[in-house]
Amino acid sequence: MRDFILRCINIHKYWARKPDNIVAAYIERYSKEGDTVLDPFSGSGVTAIEALRLGRKAIAVDLDPVGNFIALMTALPVDIDSLQEAFDALKDDVKDEILKYFKTICPECGKSATIHSLIYANNKPTKIVYECNNPVCEHKGLKDLTNADRKTISTIEETDVPYWYPDNELIWNSRVNVSRGEKVSDLFSKRNLIALSILYNGINKIEDELNRNMIKFAFSAALPQASKLLVYTPGQGPGWKVRGFWIPANRYEMNVWRFFENKFKKLVSGKKESNKLLSSKYSKDAFKIFNHSATELNSIPELKENSVDYVFTDPPYGDSVPYLELNLIYASWLGFKSDLADEICISDSPLRRDKNNKAYYTHLAKAFREIYRVLKPGKYLTVTFNNTKMEIYNDIFRSAILAGFDSEKIVYQHPAKKSSKAQLAPYGSAFGDYYIRFRKPLEPRDTLKIKQPDEITFERVVIQAVKKIIAERGQPTEYSLIINSYSLIYDLLKKEGFLFSASQSIDDVLNKHMGEEFVLVNNKLWFANPSVVPYIDRVPLKERVEKVVISTLNREIKLGFDDILKEVYKMFPNSLTPETTTINEVLEDYAEKTKDKKWILKQSVSIRMSQHNTMVDYLIKIGERFGYTVIADLEGYRVKELPFDNENPDRVREIDVIWLEGKTPKYEFEVENTTGISEAIDRGSNLDVDDLTRIIVIPEERKPLLNRKLHERKFNEEINKYGWQFMYYKDLDAFFVQMKGHKKPKISELKNSFKTPEDMRRDIQTELKL
């Protein structure tokens, strides 16, 4: 049912919305039913809507009247029958008047047809998507513009717009593709400007205020589809795909009525379900919206000192999204006045030079002081944002800390899909969302005593934090994970009595130490000299992820990708969180998709899992046949005390099979079935004995994995250091069968099946050539 509420919100475009399910999870975690939840930068109202749905009192504050309008229209209960009647009356009033501007001739039957859209090439209309109105024909298709169509366009261009339309100027700003003197009306063709004026005039005649506003909501939502902003790309549908007001030379001109009616249908669908879910919880006391600045919460009577139980907010990201400038396309039509002077942002507009970094920080700091004032002691503030600029991160963090908050946790959430911009970044990218948990202390502290770290201190702490992250992951690491070391950096600085404030970016620090501390391996960061890092995890993160994915699918049988993702993220939080591409690679290796788009283990993987103990049993019997004492991780062969000294007896007892001559280990075997080659090597390497033969027994189908591993520097260092060799399942199976038919098998025959890493490389390369 929640999807329908989202459908209601999402019919209207709004920039940089946060996922509702994540917002809801935070609200549930840090507040209870009946609590007051505040979002002082509420945008389109996701936090307020989710708080209302979860039985909290919601207070939404935002300077943007468009965002507040979206939130209110989503929350308000409405009589669907009455709303439909109002729409039907509007349809009778204006539809035919609008559609007369969208007429053409059907090339099949020569009768009247309705234009669905025009396609422009190099700023000239060239083709028409149409539908024939003749009930005998009813042909739909694409046709070239005719001379008659061109004459119609010329006539429309000379026609006056019949009713009011906004003719105010947009904010001159090249960053959002607005040139000096450009107007809101310039974003629409003459045909669509006429149609919109007719439609808006008709909407304003609706007597019932709620119905009128709901239909205005659908009208506003349809404005981008009525504009010149829709890029035409063959094979793709129309969409406002570029942030800002860029008018592409190749574009669509859409039928205004058709898209407006479609938006209204989606609105009704969403409101039917939101009524069921929210109407019993909605009241003017439970859901309050204020068109107000976050810097002046003290002027809102409901926001007294220590009155709020939880704050979740998504503050403006410097110059990332100039909300009020972008939303002028909506605000101008809806008659809203946007308070540009009080907006907390950094603008590139020549008309807003006062909106600079200094003003941004000053106003942001004031807003956080207000948030601190209204939040109850001991309660939590969650700040989420998406910006990779160090100065913006600093401003947000410093504003919260100097307001009096303690930072407790930083979570980095990967983007679902990596953008092209992210892919071009030098070490990958930090694109994604941060969720920072702050707490208002029970007793206020003196923030004036907090010191700023100098450049040397900050650099030392950054290197320390980055090393820790890479070491814990145990493999070359993407920059998007390194950037999450901000949480570690803060903790380390806090322990030394410093405020989090970066004198330089993590990029700057890493660049200084490339070659000395770090190197790039396949465009990922790794240690220049891993041997001097004593705390490095010897099992790469990917293999640990493999183990979790396989055990999860083995336990649950069948799961969707999101459910698998939850299990993995639960096991590997924050800087240990693996990339979704890594999880996809694991699934491709070990699982297969079902018809209902879920994942199950491949049959070969399930078979190999059951064969592990069989291989161990073979090795036990072979060892005993050769006269060795056998210790194995199998019932009947486990020992409480090792017959030899060892610093890590618990790890040694986990080794699959050990053959001993007296009390001295002579052979050790690790049987790899689905995952864990590095884990097996790490475990087996705890057996520190001279003249020891170490063997990994591997299934034949694992050759591609082994081939990848043999190209990893760290893996090669480990196997060469301890002299590991390899053996295939099929060779062990064949020897066991042969042994049962021989009275005196020779160990040299078994050794003939052992392969060095170089042997394995040659075998694999030969197969690849074939």
Side-chain angles (χ1 to χ4, degrees):
M1 290 177 74
R2 214 161 115 197
D3 290 341
F4 288 93
I5 297 178
L6 277 179
R7 189 184 301 173
C8 188
I9 296 176
N10 288 341
I11 72 161
H12 200 298
K13 190 173 187 68
Y14 200 82
W15 308 100
R17 280 192 180 103
K18 288 293 176 277
D20 69 295
N21 59 319
I22 293 178
V23 176
Y26 275 96
I27 292 171
E28 287 183 298
R29 172 68 180 82
Y30 295 109
S31 67
K32 62 183 185 297
E33 287 191 30
D35 278 356
T36 298
V37 174
L38 166 69
D39 186 347
F41 299 101
S42 58
S44 62
V46 175
T47 301
I49 295 296
E50 287 301 321
L52 178 65
R53 183 183 70 82
L54 294 168
R56 279 68 168 167
K57 293 180 180 178
I59 298 180
V61 178
D62 205 288
L63 204 60
D64 181 9
V66 174
N68 291 334
F69 183 65
I70 295 170
L72 185 60
M73 292 302 102
T74 303
L76 280 173
V78 65
D79 184 320
I80 299 297
D81 291 336
S82 174
L83 180 62
Q84 186 66 55
E85 286 175 11
F87 176 81
D88 290 342
L90 174 68
K91 185 176 181 178
D92 291 341
D93 184 28
V94 303
K95 180 182 176 181
D96 290 344
E97 187 181 358
I98 291 171
L99 289 183
K100 74 181 183 182
Y101 293 95
F102 294 88
K103 295 297 182 186
T104 187
I105 300 298
C106 172
E108 298 294 318
C109 69
K111 302 292 185 181
S112 174
T114 297
I115 295 172
H116 284 188
S117 63
L118 285 86
I119 297 171
Y120 283 66
N122 295 319
N123 287 312
K124 293 181 179 179
T126 58
K127 295 184 182 297
I128 292 176
V129 179
Y130 69 93
E131 181 177 356
C132 183
N133 299 322
N134 179 2
V136 177
C137 177
E138 294 185 338
H139 191 267
K140 298 178 182 178
L142 181 70
K143 71 165 196 166
D144 292 327
L145 245 71
T146 64
N147 288 332
D149 293 319
R150 293 186 182 91
K151 186 176 180 181
T152 299
I153 292 172
S154 296
T155 301
I156 290 172
E157 289 296 325
E158 294 173 4
T159 303
D160 291 335
V161 180
Y163 302 104
W164 175 87
Y165 65 92
D167 203 31
N168 55 295
E169 289 189 5
L170 295 162
I171 303 299
W172 173 26
N173 187 343
S174 60
R175 185 148 187 240
V176 291
N177 300 293
V178 176
S179 53
R180 188 170 194 170
E182 190 171 357
K183 296 181 178 181
V184 173
S185 56
D186 294 330
L187 303 177
F188 304 91
S189 68
K190 187 65 172 291
R191 184 197 314 259
N192 281 5
L193 203 55
I194 291 169
L196 287 169
S197 78
I198 295 168
L199 179 55
Y200 194 67
N201 182 67
I203 293 171
N204 277 326
K205 294 177 185 176
I206 297 172
E207 292 183 1
D208 182 85
E209 183 182 11
L210 179 56
N211 288 339
R212 183 171 66 249
N213 283 334
M214 283 289 170
I215 294 175
K216 277 188 179 181
F217 181 40
F219 171 89
S220 180
L223 285 171
Q225 280 72 35
S227 75
K228 299 178 182 178
L229 305 175
L230 308 181
V231 181
Y232 171 72
T233 306
Q236 296 183 21
W240 185 6
K241 298 174 182 177
V242 178
R243 185 177 293 172
F245 299 112
W246 172 59
I247 298 175
N250 299 335
R251 63 181 182 272
Y252 288 97
E253 180 183 340
M254 309 302 295
N255 182 313
V256 167
W257 177 261
R258 194 162 176 268
F259 265 88
F260 166 68
E261 187 171 34
N262 182 52
K263 289 291 186 183
F264 179 77
K265 288 176 181 177
K266 289 183 178 180
L267 173 64
V268 169
S269 179
K271 290 307 298 181
K272 283 179 180 177
E273 294 302 325
S274 69
N275 276 351
K276 292 177 187 176
L277 206 55
L278 298 180
S279 60
S280 63
K281 298 176 181 179
Y282 177 84
S283 69
K284 289 184 178 180
D285 183 56
F287 190 86
K288 296 186 177 182
I289 296 180
F290 297 94
N291 192 194
H292 215 78
S293 170
T295 61
E296 297 177 350
L297 300 182
N298 56 354
S299 63
I300 298 174
E302 287 82 356
L303 292 176
K304 295 181 173 59
E305 188 173 347
N306 302 330
S307 61
V308 172
D309 297 288
Y310 177 55
V311 179
F312 183 101
T313 197
D314 182 12
Y317 316 146
D319 63 349
S320 292
V321 185
Y323 289 95
L324 297 187
E325 292 180 29
L326 290 171
N327 285 339
L328 272 175
I329 186 175
Y330 307 114
S332 301
W333 275 101
L334 294 170
F336 296 151
K337 297 298 181 184
S338 298
D339 187 355
L340 291 157
D342 283 343
E343 185 180 18
I344 301 177
C345 72
I346 298 170
S347 177
D348 297 294
S349 169
L351 303 177
R352 306 181 77 193
R353 297 192 186 280
D354 58 325
K355 296 298 177 183
N356 51 33
N357 290 74
K358 183 179 179 181
Y360 172 76
Y361 172 69
T362 300
H363 286 88
L364 195 67
K366 187 176 181 183
F368 274 98
R369 289 196 296 272
E370 279 296 284
I371 295 167
Y372 180 89
R373 181 184 65 80
V374 302
L375 188 63
K376 293 176 180 178
K379 297 295 184 177
Y380 293 94
L381 154 70
T382 299
V383 176
T384 176
F385 74 100
N386 179 311
N387 190 290
T388 58
K389 290 185 178 179
M390 175 63 72
E391 58 268 28
I392 301 302
Y393 190 101
N394 278 348
D395 285 345
I396 291 174
F397 221 104
R398 189 188 300 117
S399 296
I401 297 299
L402 291 180
F405 287 105
D406 284 328
S407 172
E408 294 195 338
K409 188 175 184 180
I410 305 175
V411 174
Y412 173 73
Q413 178 68 47
H414 295 278
K417 182 179 180 181
K418 191 178 290 186
S419 68
S420 56
K421 184 176 178 183
Q423 291 167 3
L424 293 172
Y427 311 118
S429 167
F431 288 79
D433 290 328
Y434 289 99
Y435 293 84
I436 311 175
R437 183 179 76 198
F438 294 100
R439 184 173 181 267
K440 181 175 179 177
L442 294 172
E443 297 295 332
R445 54 184 171 78
D446 187 357
T447 57
L448 296 176
K449 292 181 180 179
I450 302 175
K451 299 178 291 181
Q452 300 272 3
D454 57 46
E455 188 170 315
I456 294 173
T457 300
F458 180 74
E459 200 166 302
R460 169 177 57 79
V461 168
V462 167
I463 294 299
Q464 186 179 345
V466 172
K467 280 184 173 181
K468 187 173 188 298
I469 286 173
I470 299 175
E472 285 180 343
R473 295 175 71 83
Q475 64 188 38
T477 301
E478 280 197 3
Y479 180 69
S480 61
L481 280 305
I482 297 297
I483 204 72
N484 194 42
S485 57
Y486 283 137
S487 56
L488 280 175
I489 292 168
Y490 173 77
D491 288 340
L492 293 169
L493 288 172
K494 187 177 178 182
K495 286 174 184 175
E496 296 187 28
F498 292 108
L499 165 70
F500 181 93
S501 180
S503 54
Q504 53 190 318
S505 71
I506 290 182
D507 276 345
D508 294 334
V509 176
L510 291 176
N511 283 328
K512 285 183 185 179
H513 293 268
M514 290 300 292
E516 175 191 345
E517 298 281 359
F518 308 105
V519 293
L520 285 178
V521 177
N522 296 325
N523 218 33
K524 297 179 180 181
L525 278 176
W526 185 238
F527 297 110
N529 185 2
S531 62
V532 300
V533 186
Y535 47 87
I536 189 168
D537 198 304
R538 298 163 72 93
V539 181
L541 179 65
K542 184 175 179 182
E543 290 193 20
R544 286 175 268 162
V545 171
E546 286 176 347
K547 195 171 183 179
V548 170
V549 170
I550 290 172
S551 63
T552 300
L553 284 175
N554 192 44
R555 181 182 70 245
E556 302 294 338
I557 310 299
K558 184 169 71 169
L559 281 176
F561 183 75
D562 287 347
D563 294 319
I564 295 168
L565 213 58
K566 286 177 187 175
E567 289 294 319
V568 173
Y569 284 174
K570 194 188 301 179
M571 296 296 296
F572 304 104
N574 297 333
S575 61
L576 278 177
T577 301
E579 304 93 322
T580 52
T581 51
T582 296
I583 300 168
N584 273 315
E585 287 171 3
V586 171
L587 288 169
E588 292 294 338
D589 281 345
Y590 299 105
E592 55 192 8
K593 285 183 180 177
T594 60
K595 290 181 179 178
D596 55 352
K597 297 181 180 180
K598 295 190 177 182
W599 291 92
I600 59 172
L601 285 178
K602 289 178 180 176
Q603 188 176 8
S604 59
V605 173
S606 299
I607 291 171
R608 287 305 186 194
M609 290 178 73
S610 66
Q611 284 183 324
H612 175 269
N613 286 356
T614 301
M615 294 294 115
V616 171
D617 186 59
Y618 286 176
L619 288 167
I620 291 170
K621 288 182 169 62
I622 293 169
E624 289 177 333
R625 187 72 173 269
F626 285 137
Y628 292 107
T629 301
V630 178
I631 295 174
D633 191 18
L634 205 64
E635 189 68 35
Y637 289 88
R638 297 187 180 100
V639 295
K640 291 184 179 179
E641 299 292 335
L642 296 173
F644 50 86
D645 293 332
N646 189 274
E647 293 181 358
N648 299 299
D650 291 340
R651 292 289 281 158
V652 170
R653 281 193 290 269
E654 292 174 352
I655 295 170
D656 284 326
V657 180
I658 304 171
W659 293 353
L660 300 94
E661 199 172 74
K663 294 183 179 181
T664 305
K666 302 302 289 184
Y667 291 84
E668 70 163 313
F669 297 88
E670 285 287 0
V671 179
E672 197 273 350
N673 59 337
T674 53
T675 60
I677 296 179
S678 297
E679 184 176 358
I681 288 173
D682 179 51
R683 185 169 55 240
S685 298
N686 283 282
L687 198 54
D688 189 12
V689 179
D690 293 333
D691 194 27
L692 177 68
T693 301
R694 306 175 192 265
I695 307 295
I696 291 181
V697 185
I698 185 170
E700 294 72 40
E701 68 268 15
R702 303 287 284 156
K703 285 182 184 178
L705 169 68
L706 186 59
N707 185 44
R708 292 198 299 268
K709 300 295 290 181
L710 289 170
H711 285 83
E712 294 176 7
R713 183 193 301 182
K714 180 173 179 281
F715 183 79
N716 278 296
E717 287 172 356
E718 291 293 315
I719 61 175
N720 291 326
K721 180 179 178 181
Y722 292 100
W724 284 95
Q725 299 179 71
F726 299 88
M727 182 182 190
Y728 291 128
Y729 271 31
K730 65 180 178 65
D731 293 331
L732 177 58
D733 186 70
F735 183 82
F736 182 75
V737 171
Q738 182 185 357
M739 182 192 75
K740 290 196 295 184
H742 284 270
K743 292 182 179 179
K744 291 184 179 180
K746 295 179 181 180
I747 197 165
S748 58
E749 294 174 350
L750 179 66
K751 287 184 175 181
N752 287 336
S753 300
F754 297 169
K755 296 178 182 292
T756 66
E758 192 56 40
D759 292 334
M760 296 298 286
R761 287 189 189 94
R762 278 196 298 269
D763 283 356
I764 293 168
Q765 289 305 314
T766 300
E767 285 190 16
L768 290 174
K769 287 177 183 177
L770 293 173

